[in-house]
Amino acid sequence: MKSIYWGIDVGGTGIKLGAFLKDGSLLLKREVQTDLTDHGRRILPDISRIIRSMAEEQGWDWAQMAGAGIGIPGPVRRDGYVERCVNLGWMGFNPQKELSELLHIPVTAGNDANMAAMGEYWQGGGKGYRSLMLITLGTGVGAGIVLDGGHILYGAKGLGGEIGHTVICPEEPLRCTCGHYGCLDQMASATGIVRNAHRFLEKDARLSVLREIPEFSCRDVLDAAKDGDPVAEETVRYCLGFLGKSIAYASYIVDPEVFILGGGVSNAGKYMLNIVKDAYQANAQLADTFAEIRLARLGSEAGMIGCAGAAVVQNP
Amino acid sequence: MKSIYWGIDVGGTGIKLGAFLKDGSLLLKREVQTDLTDHGRRILPDISRIIRSMAEEQGWDWAQMAGAGIGIPGPVRRDGYVERCVNLGWMGFNPQKELSELLHIPVTAGNDANMAAMGEYWQGGGKGYRSLMLITLGTGVGAGIVLDGGHILYGAKGLGGEIGHTVICPEEPLRCTCGHYGCLDQMASATGIVRNAHRFLEKDARLSVLREIPEFSCRDVLDAAKDGDPVAEETVRYCLGFLGKSIAYASYIVDPEVFILGGGVSNAGKYMLNIVKDAYQANAQLADTFAEIRLARLGSEAGMIGCAGAAVVQNP
């Protein structure tokens, strides 16, 4: 009986692999380094070899393998084709097809943010909801959308959910890496929060614990804000205000049941959640149509778990 | 053989009914007034009676009826339930279920803007594309999204695609009917264009043909802009600039293959299309991910046609 699903989250530095049952229970997992040599051509053969040896160690018959999902740090088309994945060195090929040929099982490929959204939908903060949008606030702002029945919104060009580079603060004087000014990425990411804290500190001479931390991190800013530091608080409210606005936009376009917040910034928990909720509700129209906003639960394993979840949806 | 599909577009003043074949060809249509008496309770029995008599007149066997779609001017949940439809007087009932019981055929209900999007997808400006977002610029701004394979994006609360009340110009001093300031509806609708033209006229004393038209319409503004009237041109570029920005947001969230522009404002054709394209591209990130933008083709029949199209998708 085919009962084992593999989740494979490929990052620029490491690959997370896990074997799951259909109900989401994790049987075993492993983490290996990503071999980027030879334009990333060794990545898929490596994955195939590791998965086979993991299965062999457990004494699993290969006939039990129901499918696999693979997440990639870049845009993936619905048919699995990757035009370009800078982080892995890949250009114009189809990892879904190639990995399926290597493993002799069905494989479904997707963007890592979409796979993470699928993970939170299947086993995390969105479990029990019919549709969700996951927004991860880390170095940048990533996002993924899962619609009714576990369908990932890929988008025609693999941009589904990519709100990080929507211009949300046109008066921002600094240019974003994308070439525009005032992207959500510049404001609500961990990087954006640190950058804006420096700006608020330079504006006047107010006392702030941040002035005593030489190279403060986003976590320092969030901790200081929680403790009532006025500059840190102002920064966090300012930055997360733009996220609330973006969520309001997205709620009128995609209208998911719940928004899930993940990534490093979301470690500030209920404190940040309440700020985002307030900002969202101030920018949304009718109270009886407010979507829920909740915290992510799966941390850095959301992608791996979501890859297995996507495999379950493809091969139930 | 079941081969006839009905499209029923219910508006606050009239109901459009059409019988279609699976390939989209129209067999016959009729338009009747909407009877709003008794809280709109006569609407569905009226529709049932008219459809049966149309079929009878043609000598069609009822066994040929494959299904029907019904469009409603308000939010409809995926299961067909309507919580409230102010324009029809309906409160808390399921027209999909009731009409299906009256007609003894499968019925699918949807919001009229979503059904119009389905119409443009099936037989109009989006024919041949895999996914689209229709934006109609009339008295207000309406919108609907159709994803791969003809699936309407309903949204958890029936808000899918409803970009009209996203705040796109926060510095707008006038309050929108929804309670917020600077909604897209206030800027890019026909009403919004007329309102903004008055504002630009009051700003200074520049010559403009609009000053000679006592109660000018949106069409007057668009015609004057096309003829090079500076105030009209400034108005149109200003107002449609916000639409371009909204399209950029939506392209990063839903990423459809094509955006279709409909409604009265879109009658200005290529002139307005080019202005919107410029504004969209100025607010979007990478040229190789630009979505197409095209004009709607079905005019006020998009809804009726889309209802039949939705019935085809449901009962192929």
Side-chain angles (χ1 to χ4, degrees):
Chain A
M1 206 196 113
K2 294 192 185 302
S3 56
I4 295 173
Y5 297 85
W6 293 88
I8 309 152
D9 187 17
V10 183
T13 52
I15 303 172
K16 290 190 178 79
L17 303 107
F20 294 81
L21 292 180
K22 200 179 199 163
D23 67 0
S25 46
L26 176 69
L27 300 175
L28 78 164
K29 65 172 174 174
R30 191 165 297 175
E31 197 164 345
V32 298
Q33 282 206 319
T34 313
D35 183 351
L36 295 172
T37 56
D38 202 13
H39 298 286
R41 259 179 226 136
R42 301 187 191 175
I43 294 172
L44 296 184
D46 278 357
I47 289 170
S48 169
R49 201 166 18 78
I50 294 161
I51 284 184
R52 285 178 183 280
S53 82
M54 284 168 82
E56 208 169 309
E57 283 163 27
Q58 301 294 321
W60 292 339
D61 185 354
W62 198 251
Q64 285 178 276
M65 305 304 145
I70 179 169
I72 287 149
V76 179
R77 290 204 205 141
R78 183 181 289 269
D79 65 355
Y81 183 82
V82 172
E83 186 145 315
R84 191 171 38 178
C85 180
V86 184
N87 292 329
L88 303 181
W90 289 356
M91 284 280 277
F93 92 115
N94 192 317
Q96 172 173 304
K97 197 164 150 273
E98 297 212 2
L99 188 60
S100 181
E101 282 164 9
L102 286 165
L103 291 175
H104 302 287
I105 58 173
V107 172
T108 178
N111 168 265
D112 54 0
N114 289 341
M115 288 304 198
M118 188 66 191
E120 293 290 343
Y121 179 86
W122 190 41
Q123 297 296 330
K127 194 171 176 178
Y129 290 88
R130 290 184 54 85
S131 56
L132 67 76
M133 180 163 182
L134 168 71
I135 303 176
T136 54
L137 309 165
T139 313
V141 174
I145 296 165
V146 180
L147 298 174
D148 284 330
H151 296 288
I152 291 171
L153 197 163
Y154 282 87
K157 297 185 184 73
L159 298 175
E162 289 307 323
I163 55 169
H165 295 284
T166 48
V167 176
I168 198 79
C169 174
E171 55 275 22
E172 164 66 40
L174 285 181
R175 194 189 275 265
C176 179
T177 49
C178 78
H180 283 273
Y181 294 86
C183 291
L184 181 63
D185 213 279
Q186 289 183 284
M187 313 312 284
S189 65
T191 327
I193 288 174
V194 170
R195 192 175 63 84
N196 278 287
H198 281 291
R199 181 179 289 172
F200 279 108
L201 286 170
E202 282 158 22
K203 222 175 56 178
D204 53 40
R206 269 183 297 173
L207 291 178
S208 168
V209 295
L210 296 177
R211 296 194 194 275
E212 283 131 54
I213 310 172
E215 294 205 345
F216 59 77
S217 66
C218 177
R219 196 187 161 150
D220 293 326
V221 181
L222 289 161
D223 284 347
K226 271 194 209 178
D227 288 346
D229 183 276
V231 180
E233 236 188 312
E234 192 179 338
T235 304
V236 172
R237 284 193 188 278
Y238 177 75
C239 290
L240 294 182
F242 293 105
L243 178 64
K245 202 182 251 190
S246 289
I247 290 178
Y249 284 136
S251 74
Y252 281 111
I253 297 175
V254 174
D255 187 17
E257 272 194 359
V258 63
F259 288 87
I260 306 285
L261 306 181
V265 177
S266 75
N267 292 334
K270 280 202 174 152
Y271 171 76
M272 69 84 68
L273 190 64
N274 287 332
I275 293 175
V276 176
K277 275 185 187 170
D278 287 350
Y280 158 60
Q281 294 181 1
N283 283 282
Q285 187 192 352
L286 295 166
D288 63 351
T289 63
F290 285 163
E292 284 189 61
I293 309 184
R294 295 166 60 98
L295 295 168
R297 283 214 206 123
L298 305 180
S300 62
E301 299 211 323
M304 177 186 76
I305 296 169
C307 287
V312 172
V313 170
Q314 285 287 315
N315 314 281
Chain B
M1 205 198 112
K2 295 193 183 301
S3 56
I4 295 173
Y5 296 86
W6 293 89
I8 309 151
D9 188 15
V10 183
T13 52
I15 303 172
K16 291 190 176 77
L17 304 107
F20 294 82
L21 292 179
K22 201 177 195 162
D23 68 359
S25 47
L26 177 69
L27 299 175
L28 78 162
K29 63 172 172 175
R30 190 163 301 173
E31 198 165 345
V32 298
Q33 281 205 319
T34 313
D35 183 351
L36 295 173
T37 55
D38 203 12
H39 299 286
R41 260 179 225 135
R42 301 188 192 174
I43 295 173
L44 295 184
D46 279 357
I47 289 170
S48 169
R49 200 168 17 79
I50 295 161
I51 284 183
R52 285 179 184 279
S53 82
M54 284 167 81
E56 206 169 311
E57 283 163 28
Q58 302 293 319
W60 293 339
D61 185 353
W62 198 250
Q64 285 179 276
M65 305 305 145
I70 179 167
I72 288 149
V76 179
R77 290 205 205 140
R78 184 182 290 271
D79 65 357
Y81 182 82
V82 172
E83 187 147 314
R84 191 171 39 180
C85 181
V86 183
N87 293 329
L88 303 180
W90 290 356
M91 284 282 276
F93 91 116
N94 192 319
Q96 173 173 302
K97 198 166 149 272
E98 296 212 4
L99 188 60
S100 181
E101 281 164 10
L102 286 166
L103 290 175
H104 302 287
I105 58 173
V107 172
T108 179
N111 166 265
D112 54 0
N114 289 341
M115 288 303 197
M118 188 67 191
E120 293 291 343
Y121 178 87
W122 189 42
Q123 298 295 332
K127 194 172 177 178
Y129 290 87
R130 289 184 53 83
S131 56
L132 67 74
M133 180 163 181
L134 168 71
I135 303 175
T136 53
L137 310 165
T139 313
V141 174
I145 296 166
V146 181
L147 298 174
D148 286 329
H151 296 287
I152 290 171
L153 196 164
Y154 282 85
K157 298 186 184 72
L159 298 175
E162 289 306 323
I163 57 170
H165 295 283
T166 50
V167 176
I168 199 78
C169 175
E171 56 274 24
E172 165 67 38
L174 284 183
R175 195 189 275 262
C176 178
T177 49
C178 78
H180 283 273
Y181 295 86
C183 291
L184 181 63
D185 213 279
Q186 288 182 283
M187 313 311 286
S189 64
T191 327
I193 288 174
V194 170
R195 192 175 63 85
N196 278 287
H198 281 290
R199 182 180 288 175
F200 279 108
L201 286 169
E202 283 157 22
K203 222 175 55 176
D204 52 39
R206 270 182 296 173
L207 290 178
S208 168
V209 294
L210 296 178
R211 297 194 194 275
E212 283 131 54
I213 310 172
E215 294 206 344
F216 58 79
S217 65
C218 177
R219 196 189 162 148
D220 293 326
V221 181
L222 288 161
D223 284 347
K226 271 194 208 175
D227 288 346
D229 182 276
V231 180
E233 234 187 315
E234 194 179 339
T235 304
V236 171
R237 284 192 188 279
Y238 177 75
C239 291
L240 294 182
F242 293 105
L243 178 63
K245 203 181 251 192
S246 290
I247 290 178
Y249 284 136
S251 74
Y252 281 110
I253 298 176
V254 174
D255 186 17
E257 272 193 0
V258 64
F259 287 86
I260 306 285
L261 306 181
V265 177
S266 76
N267 292 334
K270 280 203 173 151
Y271 171 75
M272 68 83 70
L273 190 64
N274 288 332
I275 292 174
V276 177
K277 275 186 186 170
D278 287 349
Y280 158 59
Q281 294 182 1
N283 283 283
Q285 186 192 353
L286 295 164
D288 62 353
T289 62
F290 285 164
E292 285 189 60
I293 308 184
R294 296 166 59 99
L295 295 169
R297 284 215 205 121
L298 305 180
S300 61
E301 300 211 324
M304 177 185 75
I305 295 170
C307 287
V312 172
V313 169
Q314 285 287 317
N315 313 282

